Amino acid sequence: MILACFVLGPSTRKVAIALLPILDRRISAGTVSQVAKTLDAAVAAFHRRPLPDIYPVLMLDGVVLARKTGAGALKRPVLVALGLRPDGRREIIDYGLAMAESTAQSELFVTDLYRRGLQGKALEMICVDGGAGLVTALPMVYPGISVRRC
């Protein structure tokens, strides 16, 4: 819930109220703002970090998140990349907010993974849920890698 508060963008006052039951004390809007800045820096570093090219399986999906606005619900897809490590553990590689689950947005997301080091030398298979954008974009970035729908 805490991360959702920071991701979905409510006011610092609303986040402070949401934290009250967890922390069992009130915190100031300034403290919430400082925590948000720290989280923003950590998230930015996560999205820029070099990626190891070690995954035999790459799983990609788009998850639609909705948030309430004054004009109604705003729905935006979040593209998610999950890797299966050689030791069998799953790892979140990256995620990114997209304007749509389109080929262009999917290609940008996957190209960024490639540019940061995930060039597919260890990849044996890529699994997708069947979203047309990802299915179309993958051969452009990872030609010759088997793409399976799951």
Side-chain angles (χ1 to χ4, degrees), residues 88-103:
R89 291 184 302 151
R90 290 175 291 185
E91 178 180 326
I92 296 173
I93 297 170
D94 206 358
Y95 61 91
L97 191 62
M99 296 304 294
E101 235 179 312
S102 66
T103 300

Side-chain angles (χ1 to χ4, degrees), residues 111-123:
T111 299
D112 184 59
L113 299 176
Y114 185 92
R115 180 189 57 77
R116 290 169 39 212
L118 187 54
Q119 297 181 351
K121 292 178 180 132
L123 272 178

